[in-house]
Amino acid sequence: MGVRPGHRVPTWCLGLVAVLLLGTALAALGVLGGQSLPERTGPPIEQLAVEGTVLTPGVIELTVRNTGPDPVQVAQVFVNDVYVDVVGAGEPIGGLGTATLRLAYPWQDGQPYLVSMLTSSGAVIEDEIPAAVATPRAGPGFFGLMALLGAYVGIIPVLLGMMFLPVLRRAGRGLVRVLLGVTVGLLAFLVVDGTAEGVELAESAGGAFGGATLVALGAALAFLVLTGFDRWLRDGQHADGGGSAGGFRLALMIAVGIGLHNLGEGLAIGSAYAVGELALGTALVVGFALHNTTEGVAVVAPLTDKRPSLLRLLALGLIAGAPAILGAVLGAAVNNTELSGFLLGIGVGAIVQVITQIVPVLRERAGSRLAPTTIGGLLAGVLIMYLTGLLVAA
Amino acid sequence: MAAASRPSRRRFLIGGAGAGAGAVAGSVGLALGQRAPLEAQGAIARADVASSQGAGTGHGGVTDATHGGGVSGPTFRQGSTVDHAANGFDPSALLRDFDYGTTSVLPDGRVLREWDIFASDEDIEVAPGVVFPAWTFNSRIPGPTLRCQEGDLLRVNFTNGSAHPHTMHFHGIHPAGMDGVPDVGAGVIEPGRTLTYEFDAAPFGVHLYHCHVSPLAEHIARGMYGTFIIDPLRGRPPADELIMVMHGYNTTFDADGNQLYAVNGIPFHYMHEPVRVQRNELVRIYLVNVLEYDPINSFHLHANFFDYYPTGTRLDPSEFTDTIMLGQGQRGICEVRFPHTGKFMFHAHKTEFADLGWMGFFEVAD
């Protein structure tokens, strides 16, 4: 480049000048540019997203967030065409601000309600309560129930799935590849499923914090962090001493990925239960057990030629399953659909990372084609997830 | 200045009115002073369904008690009221506000009766904290109650001070050119123009007037209507006379029903400022329905019966009842004597309208 070091202006100086110029230009734009353009024509844009609904006898409590550009003043509220006493949100709600409205209304169990918020400009913002159910009280008992639910749908099925390890050991390398194919198939299904659910959730709140973009952000974040984690494991061989570390490292990565997925799944279950959209019962628990048992198989699939200690296996199971407990508790406590979407995105990114880990192992040798049986395993994995997923259609 | 609302399941893009003149008046504020905690409300509601109002709810005295909430019925935010002074009219005053115009005697001995009426665009606080960009006659909703006697010669000097074209269309008997509809006679009165409508007062009864410019439903729904009373020559028995105009506000301008229903301008007004009348005194209600966007309206009086005179064009009642149903433009006279003191509810017996503002109280005293 022919730079003469002696006469060179320090880099930080150039940077400072650039930042100063940028700041000056922005300030000038703010002062002059804003005035050269007309104000927005048309009426104010009033948007509110309902982020939380708490139903107690005689009272409907809504937590709303202003997701639009203009302040919103909720002047009056009617529920199913009846004006009701309102406490809260006496002042206009600013952009991205929240407020809680307590409505005195003798709602009945199981009935649908339409809450209409009449703003100061006469606009009506509606929120639908599909079926009114008393919101569970957030006490130790409730969180205990959520933890139990998380254990049922997370830890127990994963541990059950891991019990297939002895069977896998007896099988040959070919069968293990088929099983890994099944694993990739079911993980691919979870990617599609989690993405769809995450996008739907994140968009449902009005997308003030990015909507679907949040899901992609979560996925990218998880993918990159896990890739970094994997590099770190490979470099240091921290997971398992010696050269045979590959299998256990892969198992750990799969467990972490599935764990992050189960965090999102637990979150969805917890929040669905909190708003009364989920019936707990035998069908749900058995359905999730079947569904998530396959995840346990996936975790132990790379360990067929290893002899991991029981403690280590248990740790893997907890890594994969326990986040469901955290998710369920979080989902029941924090009713923020965009946060749920973000966490589901993290699960998606984690699983994509895991898939990239397993795919090379599916081949007999580097560069060889996939065996037809392995492809059959892939298909079987997708089908298993689809069919067991039908059991837990909440 | 149109507004639209397109609510979807959980995603909303709401455009409210408010550009230019429609901007929310800075003076509008919520009077939220007196409000009982919801917990207390709920507790009372569960304990005793019957204690609907008064001292039991802890809102103060019986007379000015805040009514409603929970099982006690519909209400706006408790303690919140409309700023009548800023609006320039008060439903309590409108009740007995008859405008007889200015009279003179013509050479042939007939009475000439004249009114000056203007149209104007007004931001009106139609519910506590809710501003409605209205079109009005004489800056109020409903417009002035024009009252005359059968046989008078009437001159209504109408000036359009609004930014929109308007007319005055009277229900009654008059020549085609005085009908106040587009393309007949003077037709549409453009902003800044004046026209004198002149016709004889006939037939006697309770009538109405309203703007008749297209889109007609919007011109009516924006507030352009009023009561037009022609007294019979022989008069009616002395009574405490009241005007009640039933109407609504479609604040979203979606032409699909109304968000607010009212009698005499402000929803729920007579719930906390009851219509005060004397026991055993004859009360005569000139009742008019101009409700837009809903096919019917009704009037129901609690614990009392009234004689009903449809359109007021006969001096004998057609019915002794406590409930009547009216389509848009239908009107009549209700005559009632309250034999008991106390508070008696009146409301649309289309309960949805009552719950959305069209309800009030009579308070009968000795």
Side-chain angles (χ1 to χ4, degrees), chain A residues 142-218:
Chain A
F142 173 68
F143 287 119
L145 180 69
M146 285 299 105
L148 190 65
L149 189 61
Y152 278 154
V153 304
I155 296 175
I156 292 174
V158 169
L159 290 179
L160 283 175
M162 292 173 77
M163 294 192 336
F164 281 86
L165 183 58
V167 181
L168 299 185
R169 286 219 177 95
R170 295 276 175 90
R173 293 290 305 170
L175 186 60
V176 168
R177 267 197 293 278
V178 172
L179 279 172
L180 283 172
V182 172
T183 304
V184 169
L186 65 87
L187 291 178
F189 182 90
L190 290 182
V191 167
V192 175
D193 198 43
T195 306
E197 199 175 333
V199 168
E200 190 190 325
L201 265 178
E203 290 280 313
S204 68
F209 293 101
T213 316
L214 265 184
V215 183
L217 182 70

Side-chain angles (χ1 to χ4, degrees), chain A residues 188-261:
Chain A
F189 182 90
L190 290 182
V191 167
V192 175
D193 198 43
T195 306
E197 199 175 333
V199 168
E200 190 190 325
L201 265 178
E203 290 280 313
S204 68
F209 293 101
T213 316
L214 265 184
V215 183
L217 182 70
L221 213 66
F223 182 85
L224 292 175
V225 167
L226 280 183
T227 306
F229 179 58
D230 180 55
R231 294 284 179 278
W232 181 70
L233 283 183
R234 281 170 197 257
D235 288 351
Q237 295 295 338
H238 292 269
D240 202 0
S244 65
F248 190 76
R249 181 183 53 75
L250 192 55
L252 179 61
M253 289 305 295
I254 293 174
V256 168
I258 286 174
L260 285 175
H261 163 75

